[in-house]
Amino acid sequence: NNTYVAVGNSGTILRSTDNGSSFNTVTSGTTEGLRGVAFGNNTFLGVGKSGTILRSTDNGSSFDNTTSPVNRLDGIAFGNNTFVTASWGTRIGNSNSYGAGSISRSTDNGTTWENATLPTGATNTSYNHVAFGNNVFVVVGDNGTIVRSIDNGTTWDNATSRTSVGLENISFGNNTFVAVGYDGNIVRSTDNGSSWDNATS
């Protein structure tokens, strides 16, 4: 319905009903930082720190808390009646290091969640973002990690990313996945995330 929702620090939610020309603040009910938002099946889901998941079924006018399976959520995407989240692990002490992240999925519009089975070698990685296209979910994370799922997020396989630096975000369009990360790194895939090439930034 021509509605856009943006999320940010301190529980900020902004909503536009005029195709992004102007935005109004929506009460989120949380002060946690929000890191991602997605829309599907007439539902907006916002995710963030401390495992926060906010859910709206009234076109983003109001949001309610729902149960989260993990500690910190950094990205979310929707496809084939499934929401998929990417998660950092728990902070290790007072360091800037984090433990193993996770990937979770919901097939009931964010009401309940289950953790996905991760591939060998990707179980000690923090995951940063997720995108969906051509019936494939792709998640990116630390150390150049890229994993993909062709069964709506139930199981995941490793993909070769061509970089060893952290990948922070990913998007899909025109049959192409593009991921970006630290030090100006850009990688792209034109075969649904199976193989990746470097691009000049």
Side-chain angles (χ1 to χ4, degrees):
N1 296 328
N2 300 317
T3 300
Y4 289 84
V5 171
V7 299
N9 290 338
S10 303
T12 299
I13 298 179
L14 302 177
R15 177 177 182 262
S16 172
T17 56
D18 56 8
N19 291 315
S21 295
S22 62
F23 283 81
N24 295 312
T25 301
V26 177
T27 300
S28 68
T30 183
T31 58
E32 296 290 349
L34 300 174
R35 304 279 295 179
V37 62
F39 178 81
N41 287 344
N42 297 312
T43 303
F44 280 103
L45 290 182
V47 299
K49 296 181 178 179
S50 299
T52 301
I53 299 179
L54 302 178
R55 183 172 180 265
S56 172
T57 56
D58 58 5
N59 209 34
S61 296
S62 62
F63 284 80
D64 297 313
N65 281 295
T66 186
T67 302
S68 170
V70 296
N71 182 56
R72 172 172 172 163
L73 298 163
D74 278 79
I76 185 169
F78 176 85
N80 288 344
N81 295 311
T82 305
F83 284 95
V84 171
T85 64
S87 170
W88 279 30
T90 303
R91 183 188 292 272
I92 300 173
N94 294 320
S95 70
N96 288 324
S97 299
Y98 291 80
S102 62
I103 298 172
S104 304
R105 64 191 292 269
S106 172
T107 56
D108 56 9
N109 299 326
T111 302
T112 60
W113 295 83
E114 62 182 12
N115 286 325
T117 301
L118 299 178
T120 301
T123 55
N124 293 316
T125 298
S126 286
Y127 297 101
N128 297 322
H129 218 281
V130 55
F132 176 84
N134 286 346
N135 296 312
V136 178
F137 282 99
V138 178
V139 171
V140 297
D142 289 351
N143 305 312
T145 298
I146 300 177
V147 295
R148 65 190 290 268
S149 172
I150 60 173
D151 58 5
N152 296 325
T154 302
T155 60
W156 297 79
D157 296 313
N158 288 306
T160 303
S161 69
R162 306 297 180 185
T163 183
S164 60
V165 304
L167 295 171
E168 287 292 297
N169 215 321
I170 184 170
S171 189
F172 177 85
N174 290 337
N175 294 310
T176 304
F177 283 98
V178 175
V180 297
Y182 293 116
D183 303 326
N185 274 267
I186 301 175
V187 292
R188 65 190 292 270
S189 171
T190 57
D191 60 2
N192 297 324
S194 294
S195 61
W196 295 78
D197 295 311
N198 290 308
T200 302
S201 70

